Amino acid sequence: ALVSLFGFLSREQTSKMNRSGKLRVAVVGAGAAGLCAARHILSRADTLEPPVVFEQSARVGGTWYYEERVGTSDDGRPIHSSMYRDLRTNLPKEVMMFPDFPFDSHLPSFLTHWDVQQYLETYCKSHDITPHIKFNTMVEEVKPISMETDKGGAVRWEVISRGMHGGHSTQTFDSVFICSGHYSVPHLPSIPGIEHFKGKVMHSHSYRCPEPFAHQSVVVLGAGASGVDISFELAQAKAQVILSHTKTALPFSLPLEIQQAPPVVKVLDNGSLFFQDGSVAHAQVLLLCTGYNYHFPFLCPKQLGLEVQHHLVAPLYKYLVLPAFPSLFFIGICKNICPFLHFHYQIQFALAVLDGTVQLPSHELMDEDAERERQRKTQMGVQVKHLLQMDSDQWDYYVSLATAAGLPPPNPVIQSLYEEVGRQRRANPQAYREINYRLVNATEWQLLNAPSEQ
Ligand code: FAD
């Protein structure tokens, strides 16, 4: 039942298609995932042609490129980045880095978005990726084209792109890496009566800084990473903040200036917000920190047998491979992960599939495996909306990808420091970023300064 991609796409077929006999790979997006994909494709020049990286904007970095502007850019594109001005990373640089590319050792552990953008630009430069990026080029369609229609025939991909300054182009590839990110299209919950709300309704995607909200009453909806961080920023800027969320109890205590409330269930005719416990509040701003939708406008899910819901992309074998089309790879779909480390392993596993080092199971077995994983999580009580959250599962996942692809697994120090930062965040969500760490060796880290009292 084991069929490698070369089973679908024999060397003979490939060499007929590319005079070089090498595979052509398209990468959609030049954020951290797309740059990592390009870097590893370039390092396999014996089997792969240099990649074509399509990037709709004029620069690399994706969500780390901070844009003060909200809404749409000059060329009419929706602003991609969801960064806010004073954001500091929620992972220390020692955990966040690509394992083969450390951050500048002079930087503190918790970084600004400028630091991360600078890092990604340096990564791009160091690996000479820029010549392979088509900037200002938006992928409009990615569709499979069958080369051989009989069973097991090779599938290639047609990528149709549009230059932001006009002109369409169609190119064919043997494989496509989707690295388009999933923190750009706001998820807007439906709140009955919202049309009666008299204040401003906005999503965290368009939040940049707290000053405009000083002395205003703001209800922040959602206590995820952004909801909590933004609530702190707003309270410090003297806004009156109510953090409304679905959790029975937050894993940490909030400062007195931030009130908590259960979810908003409706807006009353007089414009006030009605919470689940029957309480009511007037607010000038309703700030939705309600997450983002998965969004692949360039794919036809029906044609691919792909289910895309706002919180789910399925079925994916190893959260990465579409079983029916095993040369299409979705990079970084999961949440609650160490993103750069995650990309590092997923991309090298995918490349090991392309060069035949990893033999993928058959379509049916990959489907079954994805379904088994879904059942495992469901039986553990994981809600459908959280199926793509990895948390502590990520470590075994990296080991499994690494083992299959013949790569060293992550150093144990990364997991240990990640868990320590989680503890510090719960103990002191406002000040945990003041701490600095140092990696001593593959298993040990060291605290460089103690956290201050809240
Ligand atoms: P993106 O960075 O979103 O890049 C996708 C790229 O694809 C963009 O450049 C976009 O323009 C391009 N693109 C999209 N569609 C098309 C198309 N059709 N055609 C051509 N180009 C296209 N991670 C951490 O590790 N630490 C943190 O502290 C952290 N904090 C975060 C805070 C916020 C507010 C957000 C939103 C995310 C945070 N993340 C953090 C997660 C972050 O998303 C990842 O670190 C990582 O940057 C994701 O990279 P990506 O390449 O997958 O996506």
Side-chain angles (χ1 to χ4, degrees), residues 105-127:
S105 60
H106 299 100
L107 291 169
S109 284
F110 293 91
L111 307 165
T112 66
H113 52 75
W114 281 285
D115 296 328
V116 182
Q117 176 66 20
Q118 183 68 54
Y119 169 82
L120 293 173
E121 287 175 14
T122 309
Y123 181 86
C124 179
K125 215 168 162 185
S126 305
H127 296 106

mmCIF file of all heavy atoms in Angstrom, residues 105-127:
data_model
loop_
_atom_site.group_PDB
_atom_site.id
_atom_site.type_symbol
_atom_site.label_atom_id
_atom_site.label_comp_id
_atom_site.label_asym_id
_atom_site.label_seq_id
_atom_site.Cartn_x
_atom_site.Cartn_y
_atom_site.Cartn_z
ATOM 1 N N SER A 105 22.241 37.539 19.102
ATOM 2 C CA SER A 105 22.384 37.215 20.533
ATOM 3 C C SER A 105 22.232 38.454 21.418
ATOM 4 O O SER A 105 22.030 38.333 22.624
ATOM 5 C CB SER A 105 23.734 36.540 20.783
ATOM 6 O OG SER A 105 24.749 37.432 20.395
ATOM 7 N N HIS A 106 22.324 39.648 20.839
ATOM 8 C CA HIS A 106 22.187 40.858 21.671
ATOM 9 C C HIS A 106 20.740 41.198 21.983
ATOM 10 O O HIS A 106 20.465 42.024 22.844
ATOM 11 C CB HIS A 106 22.829 42.065 20.969
ATOM 12 C CG HIS A 106 24.282 41.872 20.739
ATOM 13 N ND1 HIS A 106 24.794 41.481 19.526
ATOM 14 C CD2 HIS A 106 25.336 41.972 21.594
ATOM 15 C CE1 HIS A 106 26.100 41.361 19.625
ATOM 16 N NE2 HIS A 106 26.451 41.652 20.871
ATOM 17 N N LEU A 107 19.824 40.582 21.274
ATOM 18 C CA LEU A 107 18.408 40.923 21.493
ATOM 19 C C LEU A 107 17.906 40.293 22.784
ATOM 20 O O LEU A 107 18.385 39.229 23.199
ATOM 21 C CB LEU A 107 17.558 40.389 20.329
ATOM 22 C CG LEU A 107 17.750 41.060 18.970
ATOM 23 C CD1 LEU A 107 17.053 40.251 17.876
ATOM 24 C CD2 LEU A 107 17.203 42.482 19.018
ATOM 25 N N PRO A 108 16.917 40.920 23.418
ATOM 26 C CA PRO A 108 16.306 40.268 24.583
ATOM 27 C C PRO A 108 15.537 39.027 24.127
ATOM 28 O O PRO A 108 15.354 38.817 22.926
ATOM 29 C CB PRO A 108 15.347 41.332 25.127
ATOM 30 C CG PRO A 108 15.041 42.204 23.952
ATOM 31 C CD PRO A 108 16.267 42.186 23.078
ATOM 32 N N SER A 109 15.078 38.224 25.082
ATOM 33 C CA SER A 109 14.371 36.991 24.698
ATOM 34 C C SER A 109 13.059 37.294 23.975
ATOM 35 O O SER A 109 12.715 36.637 22.996
ATOM 36 C CB SER A 109 14.096 36.124 25.931
ATOM 37 O OG SER A 109 15.292 35.493 26.324
ATOM 38 N N PHE A 110 12.312 38.289 24.475
ATOM 39 C CA PHE A 110 11.000 38.578 23.867
ATOM 40 C C PHE A 110 11.152 39.795 22.954
ATOM 41 O O PHE A 110 11.640 40.842 23.376
ATOM 42 C CB PHE A 110 9.948 38.779 24.953
ATOM 43 C CG PHE A 110 9.692 37.505 25.709
ATOM 44 C CD1 PHE A 110 10.418 37.193 26.853
ATOM 45 C CD2 PHE A 110 8.759 36.584 25.240
ATOM 46 C CE1 PHE A 110 10.211 35.993 27.529
ATOM 47 C CE2 PHE A 110 8.543 35.393 25.906
ATOM 48 C CZ PHE A 110 9.277 35.094 27.053
ATOM 49 N N LEU A 111 10.733 39.625 21.718
ATOM 50 C CA LEU A 111 11.106 40.549 20.651
ATOM 51 C C LEU A 111 9.956 41.444 20.221
ATOM 52 O O LEU A 111 8.783 41.094 20.402
ATOM 53 C CB LEU A 111 11.549 39.722 19.435
ATOM 54 C CG LEU A 111 12.624 38.678 19.707
ATOM 55 C CD1 LEU A 111 12.722 37.694 18.545
ATOM 56 C CD2 LEU A 111 13.962 39.362 19.953
ATOM 57 N N THR A 112 10.319 42.540 19.586
ATOM 58 C CA THR A 112 9.296 43.359 18.932
ATOM 59 C C THR A 112 9.042 42.768 17.531
ATOM 60 O O THR A 112 9.843 41.968 17.033
ATOM 61 C CB THR A 112 9.798 44.808 18.735
ATOM 62 O OG1 THR A 112 10.888 44.773 17.814
ATOM 63 C CG2 THR A 112 10.247 45.426 20.051
ATOM 64 N N HIS A 113 7.957 43.225 16.902
ATOM 65 C CA HIS A 113 7.723 42.721 15.534
ATOM 66 C C HIS A 113 8.800 43.223 14.583
ATOM 67 O O HIS A 113 9.134 42.577 13.602
ATOM 68 C CB HIS A 113 6.314 43.060 15.032
ATOM 69 C CG HIS A 113 5.936 44.492 15.157
ATOM 70 N ND1 HIS A 113 6.423 45.453 14.312
ATOM 71 C CD2 HIS A 113 5.136 45.126 16.047
ATOM 72 C CE1 HIS A 113 5.928 46.623 14.678
ATOM 73 N NE2 HIS A 113 5.141 46.456 15.730
ATOM 74 N N TRP A 114 9.425 44.377 14.916
ATOM 75 C CA TRP A 114 10.515 44.880 14.060
ATOM 76 C C TRP A 114 11.699 43.915 14.098
ATOM 77 O O TRP A 114 12.320 43.655 13.080
ATOM 78 C CB TRP A 114 10.948 46.290 14.500
ATOM 79 C CG TRP A 114 10.027 47.358 14.011
ATOM 80 C CD1 TRP A 114 9.934 47.841 12.729
ATOM 81 C CD2 TRP A 114 9.054 48.082 14.774
ATOM 82 N NE1 TRP A 114 8.959 48.818 12.662
ATOM 83 C CE2 TRP A 114 8.410 48.988 13.893
ATOM 84 C CE3 TRP A 114 8.668 48.069 16.112
ATOM 85 C CZ2 TRP A 114 7.393 49.856 14.321
ATOM 86 C CZ3 TRP A 114 7.672 48.926 16.527
ATOM 87 C CH2 TRP A 114 7.033 49.806 15.637
ATOM 88 N N ASP A 115 11.995 43.414 15.303
ATOM 89 C CA ASP A 115 13.111 42.462 15.431
ATOM 90 C C ASP A 115 12.849 41.224 14.567
ATOM 91 O O ASP A 115 13.748 40.709 13.911
ATOM 92 C CB ASP A 115 13.259 41.984 16.885
ATOM 93 C CG ASP A 115 13.639 43.096 17.845
ATOM 94 O OD1 ASP A 115 14.352 44.020 17.423
ATOM 95 O OD2 ASP A 115 13.214 43.030 19.024
ATOM 96 N N VAL A 116 11.607 40.724 14.614
ATOM 97 C CA VAL A 116 11.308 39.486 13.875
ATOM 98 C C VAL A 116 11.351 39.760 12.367
ATOM 99 O O VAL A 116 11.897 38.972 11.594
ATOM 100 C CB VAL A 116 9.939 38.896 14.301
ATOM 101 C CG1 VAL A 116 9.683 37.585 13.556
ATOM 102 C CG2 VAL A 116 9.879 38.664 15.797
ATOM 103 N N GLN A 117 10.835 40.924 11.967
ATOM 104 C CA GLN A 117 10.869 41.291 10.546
ATOM 105 C C GLN A 117 12.324 41.367 10.067
ATOM 106 O O GLN A 117 12.681 40.843 9.006
ATOM 107 C CB GLN A 117 10.136 42.629 10.344
ATOM 108 C CG GLN A 117 10.189 43.172 8.926
ATOM 109 C CD GLN A 117 9.454 42.313 7.899
ATOM 110 O OE1 GLN A 117 8.602 41.511 8.263
ATOM 111 N NE2 GLN A 117 9.789 42.461 6.635
ATOM 112 N N GLN A 118 13.152 41.994 10.896
ATOM 113 C CA GLN A 118 14.581 42.122 10.555
ATOM 114 C C GLN A 118 15.220 40.737 10.416
ATOM 115 O O GLN A 118 15.986 40.465 9.482
ATOM 116 C CB GLN A 118 15.255 42.914 11.690
ATOM 117 C CG GLN A 118 16.711 43.208 11.500
ATOM 118 C CD GLN A 118 16.911 44.194 10.353
ATOM 119 O OE1 GLN A 118 16.314 45.257 10.377
ATOM 120 N NE2 GLN A 118 17.721 43.837 9.382
ATOM 121 N N TYR A 119 14.886 39.853 11.334
ATOM 122 C CA TYR A 119 15.406 38.468 11.319
ATOM 123 C C TYR A 119 15.017 37.770 10.018
ATOM 124 O O TYR A 119 15.845 37.123 9.370
ATOM 125 C CB TYR A 119 14.818 37.752 12.536
ATOM 126 C CG TYR A 119 14.988 36.247 12.597
ATOM 127 C CD1 TYR A 119 16.184 35.677 13.071
ATOM 128 C CD2 TYR A 119 13.953 35.385 12.235
ATOM 129 C CE1 TYR A 119 16.329 34.300 13.168
ATOM 130 C CE2 TYR A 119 14.087 34.012 12.322
ATOM 131 C CZ TYR A 119 15.275 33.469 12.795
ATOM 132 O OH TYR A 119 15.399 32.096 12.883
ATOM 133 N N LEU A 120 13.745 37.918 9.624
ATOM 134 C CA LEU A 120 13.283 37.238 8.413
ATOM 135 C C LEU A 120 13.956 37.824 7.169
ATOM 136 O O LEU A 120 14.295 37.097 6.226
ATOM 137 C CB LEU A 120 11.757 37.298 8.300
ATOM 138 C CG LEU A 120 11.011 36.489 9.372
ATOM 139 C CD1 LEU A 120 9.502 36.725 9.293
ATOM 140 C CD2 LEU A 120 11.311 35.002 9.248
ATOM 141 N N GLU A 121 14.171 39.135 7.185
ATOM 142 C CA GLU A 121 14.865 39.754 6.039
ATOM 143 C C GLU A 121 16.311 39.248 5.964
ATOM 144 O O GLU A 121 16.831 38.970 4.870
ATOM 145 C CB GLU A 121 14.826 41.284 6.141
ATOM 146 C CG GLU A 121 13.436 41.825 5.827
ATOM 147 C CD GLU A 121 13.304 43.338 6.024
ATOM 148 O OE1 GLU A 121 14.328 44.034 6.151
ATOM 149 O OE2 GLU A 121 12.145 43.823 6.053
ATOM 150 N N THR A 122 16.943 39.103 7.129
ATOM 151 C CA THR A 122 18.324 38.594 7.160
ATOM 152 C C THR A 122 18.356 37.132 6.693
ATOM 153 O O THR A 122 19.254 36.712 5.956
ATOM 154 C CB THR A 122 18.902 38.708 8.592
ATOM 155 O OG1 THR A 122 18.684 40.029 9.052
ATOM 156 C CG2 THR A 122 20.386 38.400 8.633
ATOM 157 N N TYR A 123 17.385 36.366 7.120
ATOM 158 C CA TYR A 123 17.269 34.946 6.718
ATOM 159 C C TYR A 123 17.163 34.859 5.199
ATOM 160 O O TYR A 123 17.835 34.052 4.547
ATOM 161 C CB TYR A 123 16.023 34.382 7.401
ATOM 162 C CG TYR A 123 15.711 32.920 7.157
ATOM 163 C CD1 TYR A 123 16.296 31.926 7.946
ATOM 164 C CD2 TYR A 123 14.792 32.521 6.188
ATOM 165 C CE1 TYR A 123 15.988 30.582 7.756
ATOM 166 C CE2 TYR A 123 14.477 31.189 5.990
ATOM 167 C CZ TYR A 123 15.068 30.219 6.777
ATOM 168 O OH TYR A 123 14.749 28.888 6.590
ATOM 169 N N CYS A 124 16.335 35.727 4.640
ATOM 170 C CA CYS A 124 16.091 35.745 3.192
ATOM 171 C C CYS A 124 17.390 36.082 2.453
ATOM 172 O O CYS A 124 17.766 35.421 1.476
ATOM 173 C CB CYS A 124 14.998 36.776 2.910
ATOM 174 S SG CYS A 124 14.588 36.938 1.189
ATOM 175 N N LYS A 125 18.081 37.087 2.971
ATOM 176 C CA LYS A 125 19.323 37.530 2.347
ATOM 177 C C LYS A 125 20.409 36.451 2.459
ATOM 178 O O LYS A 125 21.079 36.112 1.478
ATOM 179 C CB LYS A 125 19.797 38.805 3.066
ATOM 180 C CG LYS A 125 20.469 39.796 2.181
ATOM 181 C CD LYS A 125 20.626 41.090 2.923
ATOM 182 C CE LYS A 125 21.669 41.935 2.224
ATOM 183 N NZ LYS A 125 21.956 43.143 2.962
ATOM 184 N N SER A 126 20.526 35.890 3.662
ATOM 185 C CA SER A 126 21.586 34.893 3.901
ATOM 186 C C SER A 126 21.435 33.678 3.006
ATOM 187 O O SER A 126 22.411 33.024 2.683
ATOM 188 C CB SER A 126 21.568 34.403 5.344
ATOM 189 O OG SER A 126 21.665 35.461 6.199
ATOM 190 N N HIS A 127 20.204 33.343 2.656
ATOM 191 C CA HIS A 127 19.989 32.152 1.823
ATOM 192 C C HIS A 127 19.742 32.515 0.359
ATOM 193 O O HIS A 127 19.320 31.655 -0.414
ATOM 194 C CB HIS A 127 18.840 31.315 2.393
ATOM 195 C CG HIS A 127 19.142 30.761 3.757
ATOM 196 N ND1 HIS A 127 18.582 31.252 4.910
ATOM 197 C CD2 HIS A 127 19.992 29.784 4.141
ATOM 198 C CE1 HIS A 127 19.063 30.585 5.939
ATOM 199 N NE2 HIS A 127 19.916 29.692 5.508
#
